[in-house]
Amino acid sequence: MNNIKIDNNVFIPMPVTLVGCLLKGRANFMTAGWVSRVNANPPWIGIGINRANATAGGIIENKSFSICFPNRTDILKTDYCGIGLRQKKLISRHYSLFSSVI
């Protein structure tokens, strides 16, 4: 196998993820495309979210968030979250919501 020089601006495929939090007492969701495991023990996951995003504010406010790795049947709903949020639509009505502590 030959070596290939990789440019600095190469993108490694990552899963599309649905990130949830409470924002001002209401369920809030966003799609995130930068997600990676950063540690195995204890299990940590890193998610890239712009500080200007409302979801980042909800995570900071409540010190908690959820992540969902959608399967094939949920990918259209996940895509709708990305589109709907830009259009200020109520996304939470498309999901069954619950809270738990891990």
Side-chain angles (χ1 to χ4, degrees), residues 17-86:
T17 306
L18 192 61
V19 178
C21 71
L22 288 177
L23 181 62
K24 299 178 183 173
R26 292 183 60 185
N28 173 270
F29 298 100
M30 70 167 278
T31 53
W34 193 94
V35 179
S36 180
R37 182 177 79 173
V38 294
N39 198 38
N41 190 10
W44 290 354
I45 294 176
I47 303 171
I49 300 174
N50 188 324
R51 291 177 191 243
N53 190 297
T55 302
I59 292 170
I60 292 168
E61 176 187 331
N62 295 290
K63 297 180 177 47
S64 64
F65 65 95
S66 65
I67 56 170
C68 173
F69 297 99
N71 60 30
R72 289 181 194 173
T73 60
D74 291 331
I75 201 71
L76 290 176
K77 285 183 183 179
T78 303
D79 186 43
Y80 180 74
C81 282
I83 296 166
L85 288 175
R86 286 189 292 272

Side-chain angles (χ1 to χ4, degrees), residues 80-97:
Y80 180 74
C81 282
I83 296 166
L85 288 175
R86 286 189 292 272
Q87 297 173 357
K88 307 291 186 214
K89 294 185 179 177
L90 183 60
I91 303 299
S92 60
R93 68 179 182 193
H94 296 284
Y95 295 94
S96 299
L97 305 176

